[in-house]
Each structure stands twice: as C-alpha cells, then as structure tokens.
C-alpha cells in the first residue's frame, strides 16, 4: 500500500444525504485536506432493491452545496475506477474465485428457510445466532446433487477458528474480536452480487485507501473486513470509528426523529447558509483547541486533528445550530441574505414572483430589517408576519402593555405626529417619537413599548423607526386608530 493519505466516503444511493453521513464525509474531507491527501467518493450501490432514483445525484449535489469537493469519483476518474460498485463485478469475481480455489471460501446451498430454522433453534438454546458451517465440508458430489435440485449457492468466507482479530482504532484505541464468535459469513449472494464486507475490503485495498473514518455502527463489520485482508495477505487500512450523534434525549439520532431536521437537502431548502452548517457539523464529535466555535472551512482544514475526535457521543444541539447559523447570517452581505430569504417570501405569496423595482426594494429592506435575528432564510416569514396582516392579534403580554395608563395619551400624540409626516421615513419617524416624548413627558419603555406593540403587535423586534417606515403610513395610522377608538 502507498504511504499517501487516501480516504473515502462511500454512500449507498438508498436515500438522501443525512446529517450523520454528511459528518462522515466532512471528517474524511478535513482529514485528507489537512494531510495533503486525496478524498474519494465511491458509490456502494450493490443493494439494487434499496437504491432510490436520484439518490446518487442527491448525495453529490448536497455534498457540493456544503462545500465539500473531491479528488476522485464517478465524475472524476483518478485511475482507480470504476467508482460504482455495480460496475466492479468482474473485479470482485476474480478475488472470490481466488478464495474458493484456496479453500478459504466455499459454496453454501442452504435455503433461506433452512437458515431461519437453524437461527430459531439457536435462539431457543440461548445461543448467539450464527451460521453452523453445515456446507463447509460438502464433497463435489454433494454439491452437484444440491445444484441439480435447482439450488443456487451463495459463497461464504471460511472464518478461521481460535483467532483474535485486533486493530488500533483512531478513536477507540485497541479493539479486538474473537473469531469463534463470528460464523462463516456470506461474501457473494445467490444472485452473484458481492456483499458489503467483501466488496468494501477489495475496493479499499485496490483503491489504496490508507484510513477508513466512519460511524461507530460499522465497528462490527471491521473484523470481517480484516479477515478478508488477512486471507489475501493485504495490509489493512487504519480504522477510526466516530461516536454516534445523539439527540437532546441522549438517544441515537434516528431518521424517524421528527424533532430534528435530518437531511442536508432540507437545510438547503430552508435557506441555511452552507458554510454555517459545515462549521456546525465539524464540531459534532470533534473539538479544536481553545474556546472558539466559529471557523471558516480553511481554518477547519488547517486545525483538524483526528486525535481530537471525541470518545463520547456527539450531542445534536438545536440551539447551538441556530446560534451558529445566526452568527454567519449577521456577517453576510445583504445580497446574499436576500438570496436565502427572498424565495420564501415569494413561495408564501407575500412578494410577487416577478416584483416591480419598488416591490423588490421594499422586500430587500424588509429582509435587511431582520438580518440580525435570522438563522436561516425561511424564518423571514415568521419574523415579518405583522407586515402582511390587516388585524393584529395581541397576546396577554402585549395586552398588558396596552392597558397601562399612559398608553392612550402616547398613541394619540404619536398618531397626530404620524399624520403630518412627509416623507414617511425612519429618520422623520424618530423625530416624531422625540416630539411625543416632549409633548407627553413619557420616555423610555413608557413611550416606546406602547408604540411598538400598537403598530407591530410584538414586544420586541428590529429597530422601531425602520419597522414603522416599512409598514407604511396608511397601515400604521389604521392600527393606531383602532386602538385609540377602542
């Protein structure tokens, strides 16, 4: 094997890019870029029944959206292809035939029903279910007889007895397995398609993969892959198994957990900033030195150290996600914030698909008003709802403000000031508030809070004069009139 650093992300096109898979890809990417190595994407599509249309393209599209690029894949041949497992059957055949010829693998003619009956009997005896090896020693005549019955064989790897298979994991340190606890496993299914553990081992060897960084759920696959390496006399890669991502209840992040957005495509659709999500995912199970939590992609590449991968489960903290994205949103140019937010205003029918120059300008000002508060583009709908309502529904907190004794005096004075304003602009609105303060003697919260609640329906929000300007003179006067008249 080469001394060059070569790592891979190997998704199955059985679904869209999930947050857990995105983390696997991202850590491999950071590791490769930090070491000056190569990052490869290989498509593991041998399970044809589970593959979904567009699954492969979705993986690549949203990796690119996140900011992850690659050196080799189905669209970038680096000399180690094909990069789809379904196109490598001839390669696999050479190697499983070699195992058959050396006696390290054998044909198994057991039917699914026989295997299930064997499994149930083992469970009834309180034994760990595993294949008994009943086809291990079939003679050629016995094999011919079973084949004549129309049975299609699978191919099983002959697990050596009494062996310890150990490896030094990048995260977990020494991990070992006793071969006697692992039954002879299938390496080629009855339909001639290699199984995951065999194909992965062959591919990783032939593609000269130096390090395999993957999720903790793959650790039970490692001894089987090490056995394949051992059978061919190959040097295995260095393995690293990242801890699970857990939700706020400390349970494994499940695709059925609807309390957390699970797929990268959903984040893109909601108007998240990809660099922010990249930053957030990078800290799911890895920590840099120091207290800083906001990093550019290049900074993460420069400081990434696999020795700092966490040994504890990574908590998916939704509040931290919102905070991280908000930090990025605040720093964006307005043009880019508009790119994230405007589609949501249009989709909701609040801004025309083809706005006029004036409508476009107004919508941009609205988005700018909430840039400091937004974590992602779709939030503009909730934040700005008062701009699109005729009637305001006040909550208990807001009603309490409007029942204070000075409110009528303040609102009437402000109404008269607003009526005279021309132009109706934030700077003039600010002067009008000052005039109300001078006229009524009320200041601070006693002055500003009734005005804010009366015209926006909310206790807090963006700079009040700017919000009032965007609401427009007619709407502001109408809302004030309704409260003044009771």
């Amino acid at each position: 094997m080469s001394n060059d650093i070569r790592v891979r992300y190997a998704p199955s096109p059985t679904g869209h890019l999930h947050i857990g898979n995105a983390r696997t890809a991202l850590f491999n990417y950071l590791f490769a870029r930090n070491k000056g190595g190569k990052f490869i994407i290989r498509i593991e599509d041998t399970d044809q029944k589970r593959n979904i249309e567009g699954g492969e393209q979705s993986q690549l599209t949203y990796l690119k959206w996140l900011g992850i690029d690659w050196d080799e894949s189905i669209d970038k041949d680096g000399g180690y292809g094909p990069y789809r497992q379904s196109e490598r059957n001839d390669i696999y055949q050479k190697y499983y035939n070699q195992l058959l010829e050396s006696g390290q693998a054998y044909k198994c003619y057991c039917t699914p029903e026989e295997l299930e009956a064997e499994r149930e009997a083992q469970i009834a005896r309180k034994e760990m279910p595993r294949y008994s090896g009943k086809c291990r020693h079939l003679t050629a005549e016995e094999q011919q007889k079973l084949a004549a019955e129309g049975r299609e064989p699978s191919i099983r790897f002959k697990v050596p007895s009494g062996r310890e298979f150990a490896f030094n994991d990048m995260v977990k340190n020494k991990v070992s397995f006793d071969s006697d606890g692992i039954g002879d496993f299938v390496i080629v299914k009855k339909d001639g398609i290699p199984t995951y553990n065999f194909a992965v081992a062959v591919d990783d060897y032939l593609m000269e993969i130096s390090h395999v960084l993957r999720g903790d759920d793959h650790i039970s696959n490692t001894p089987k892959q090490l056995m394949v390496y051992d059978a061919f006399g190959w040097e295995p890669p260095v393995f690293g198994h990242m801890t699970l991502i857990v939700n706020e209840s400390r349970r494994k992040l499940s695709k059925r957990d609807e309390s957390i957005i699970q797929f990268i495509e959903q984040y893109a659709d909601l108007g998240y900033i990809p660099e922010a999500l990249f930053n957030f995912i990078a800290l799911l199970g890895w920590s840099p030195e120091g207290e800083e939590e906001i990093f550019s992609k290049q900074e993460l590449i420069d400081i990434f150290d696999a020795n700092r991968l966490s040994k504890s489960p990574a908590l998916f903290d939704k509040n931290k996600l919102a905070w991280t994205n908000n930090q990025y949103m605040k720093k964006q140019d307005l043009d880019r914030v508009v790119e994230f937010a405007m589609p949501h205003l249009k989709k909701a029918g609040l801004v025309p698909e083809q706005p006029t120059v004036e409508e476009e300008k107004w919508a941009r000002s609205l988005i700018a008003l909430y840039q400091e508060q937004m974590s992602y583009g779709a939030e503009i709908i909730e934040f700005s709802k008062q701009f699109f309502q005729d009637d305001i529904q006040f909550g208990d907190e807001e009603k309490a403000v409007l029942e204070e004794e000075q409110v009528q005096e303040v609102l009437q004075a402000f109404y008269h000031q607003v009526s005279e304003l021309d132009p109706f602009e934030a700077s003039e609105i600010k002067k009008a508030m000052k005039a109300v303060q001078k006229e009524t003697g009320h200041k601070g919260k006693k002055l500003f809070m009734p005005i804010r609640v009366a015209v926006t329906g909310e206790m807090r929000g963006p700079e009040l004069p700017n919000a009032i300007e965007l609401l427009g003179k007619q709407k502001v006067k109408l809302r004030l009139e309704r409260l003044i008249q009771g």
Side-chain angles (χ1 to χ4, degrees), residues 355-373:
T356 64
V357 173
E358 277 303 309
E359 289 168 335
E360 176 94 17
K361 182 181 177 183
W362 183 86
R364 285 176 62 86
S365 297
L366 179 68
I367 292 165
L369 199 62
Y370 290 99
Q371 180 174 351
E372 290 286 310
Q373 292 174 256

Side-chain angles (χ1 to χ4, degrees), residues 18-85:
H18 183 259
I19 199 86
N21 292 335
R23 183 188 68 163
T24 298
L26 193 149
F27 281 178
N28 276 281
Y29 171 79
L30 291 176
F31 183 74
R33 293 290 176 261
N34 176 268
K35 301 291 186 185
K38 295 289 177 68
F39 174 58
I40 295 104
I41 294 181
R42 184 175 70 224
I43 305 297
E44 297 186 345
D45 61 347
T46 54
D47 194 346
Q48 297 290 325
K49 291 178 182 177
R50 293 183 60 228
N51 294 345
I52 66 167
E53 187 177 352
E56 178 183 290
Q57 191 54 49
S58 174
Q59 291 278 335
L60 300 180
T61 296
Y62 289 100
L63 285 173
K64 284 181 182 175
W65 179 85
L66 264 178
I68 297 175
D69 58 279
W70 47 88
D71 301 292
E72 299 173 27
S73 189
I74 56 174
D75 60 346
K76 196 180 291 187
D77 192 343
Y80 292 84
Y83 293 90
R84 288 187 187 92
Q85 284 188 334

Side-chain angles (χ1 to χ4, degrees), residues 112-253:
E113 293 76 19
E114 289 170 340
L115 292 172
E116 182 59 27
E118 181 177 274
R119 183 176 181 278
E120 288 177 357
Q122 289 170 334
I123 292 172
R125 295 194 299 268
K126 294 185 168 48
E127 297 174 1
M128 179 68 74
R130 61 182 179 136
Y131 181 61
S132 64
K134 63 188 289 188
C135 289
R136 235 189 203 229
H137 305 293
L138 291 176
T139 64
E141 290 77 14
E142 288 170 325
Q143 288 187 13
Q144 288 172 1
K145 181 182 177 184
L146 290 166
E149 294 175 9
R151 297 195 184 203
E152 291 291 339
S154 59
I155 299 175
R156 288 185 182 270
F157 184 86
K158 191 181 288 184
V159 173
S161 62
R163 289 274 306 277
E164 178 191 60
F165 285 86
F167 59 98
N168 193 37
D169 193 275
M170 295 167 70
V171 180
K172 300 177 177 296
N173 300 320
K174 185 181 178 183
V175 180
S176 63
F177 293 87
D178 182 352
S179 67
D180 291 340
I182 302 170
D184 294 349
F185 56 93
V186 174
I187 59 173
V188 183
K189 293 177 283 189
K190 293 180 185 294
D191 60 7
I193 303 296
T195 59
Y196 171 78
N197 283 310
F198 179 72
V200 162
V202 172
D203 288 344
D204 284 347
Y205 173 74
L206 294 179
M207 292 183 179
E208 299 186 8
I209 300 302
S210 63
H211 296 73
V212 173
L213 272 173
R214 57 189 179 187
D216 193 59
D217 50 336
H218 279 285
I219 199 161
S220 60
N221 291 319
T222 310
K224 295 177 182 178
Q225 292 165 24
L226 287 172
M227 289 177 193
V228 174
Y229 269 84
D230 184 67
F232 289 113
W234 297 339
E235 179 187 347
V238 177
F239 291 97
H241 291 88
M242 300 169 287
T243 56
L244 299 174
I245 302 174
V246 296
N247 63 19
E248 289 163 358
S249 300
R250 303 287 171 175
R251 293 180 178 173
K252 178 184 174 183
L253 199 64

Side-chain angles (χ1 to χ4, degrees), residues 409-427:
E409 184 184 6
V410 168
L411 295 187
Q412 287 179 26
F414 186 59
Y415 178 83
H416 292 304
Q417 289 289 334
V418 164
S419 300
E420 300 298 320
L421 279 186
D422 187 22
F424 194 75
E425 294 174 352
S427 58

Side-chain angles (χ1 to χ4, degrees), residues 156-415:
R156 288 185 182 270
F157 184 86
K158 191 181 288 184
V159 173
S161 62
R163 289 274 306 277
E164 178 191 60
F165 285 86
F167 59 98
N168 193 37
D169 193 275
M170 295 167 70
V171 180
K172 300 177 177 296
N173 300 320
K174 185 181 178 183
V175 180
S176 63
F177 293 87
D178 182 352
S179 67
D180 291 340
I182 302 170
D184 294 349
F185 56 93
V186 174
I187 59 173
V188 183
K189 293 177 283 189
K190 293 180 185 294
D191 60 7
I193 303 296
T195 59
Y196 171 78
N197 283 310
F198 179 72
V200 162
V202 172
D203 288 344
D204 284 347
Y205 173 74
L206 294 179
M207 292 183 179
E208 299 186 8
I209 300 302
S210 63
H211 296 73
V212 173
L213 272 173
R214 57 189 179 187
D216 193 59
D217 50 336
H218 279 285
I219 199 161
S220 60
N221 291 319
T222 310
K224 295 177 182 178
Q225 292 165 24
L226 287 172
M227 289 177 193
V228 174
Y229 269 84
D230 184 67
F232 289 113
W234 297 339
E235 179 187 347
V238 177
F239 291 97
H241 291 88
M242 300 169 287
T243 56
L244 299 174
I245 302 174
V246 296
N247 63 19
E248 289 163 358
S249 300
R250 303 287 171 175
R251 293 180 178 173
K252 178 184 174 183
L253 199 64
S254 163
K255 292 177 183 178
R256 293 182 295 276
D257 184 353
E258 295 182 359
S259 68
I260 290 174
I261 300 171
Q262 297 282 327
F263 297 97
I264 303 302
E265 182 176 357
Q266 292 172 291
Y267 287 102
D269 289 345
L270 284 168
Y272 275 78
I273 298 174
E275 299 95 315
L277 199 58
F278 187 105
N279 189 155
F280 174 77
I281 295 171
L283 302 181
L284 282 176
W286 175 82
S287 60
E289 294 182 7
E291 300 299 318
E292 183 60 50
E293 295 181 293
I294 301 297
F295 300 95
S296 68
K297 180 168 77 171
Q298 189 57 53
E299 285 171 335
L300 287 165
I301 289 170
D302 292 342
I303 64 176
F304 187 79
D305 179 357
N307 292 322
R308 296 189 64 84
L309 286 167
S310 175
K311 291 176 169 53
S312 303
L315 174 65
F316 191 103
D317 186 337
K318 290 184 289 186
N319 292 329
K320 178 63 69 64
L321 173 62
W323 177 84
T324 301
N325 279 271
N326 178 248
Q327 297 304 302
Y328 276 81
M329 188 66 81
K330 290 175 180 177
K331 296 174 183 176
Q332 301 304 306
D333 291 335
L334 179 58
D335 284 347
R336 192 153 191 242
V337 178
V338 169
E339 283 180 25
F340 292 118
M342 186 72 84
H344 297 282
L345 290 172
K346 291 181 177 179
K347 184 179 179 181
L350 303 175
V351 172
E353 278 295 331
Q354 300 295 330
T356 64
V357 173
E358 277 303 309
E359 289 168 335
E360 176 94 17
K361 182 181 177 183
W362 183 86
R364 285 176 62 86
S365 297
L366 179 68
I367 292 165
L369 199 62
Y370 290 99
Q371 180 174 351
E372 290 286 310
Q373 292 174 256
M374 281 193 295
S375 293
Y376 55 94
E379 280 190 315
I380 191 64
I381 302 300
E382 180 63 25
F383 282 138
S384 66
K385 60 186 178 183
Q386 71 268 20
F387 288 86
F388 305 100
Q389 295 171 336
D390 290 328
D391 296 319
I392 296 176
Q393 300 299 317
F394 297 107
D396 291 341
E397 200 177 5
E398 289 76 19
K399 286 177 182 176
V401 168
L402 295 175
E403 288 169 1
E404 292 175 6
E405 60 181 358
Q406 87 286 4
V407 169
Q408 278 296 319
E409 184 184 6
V410 168
L411 295 187
Q412 287 179 26
F414 186 59
Y415 178 83

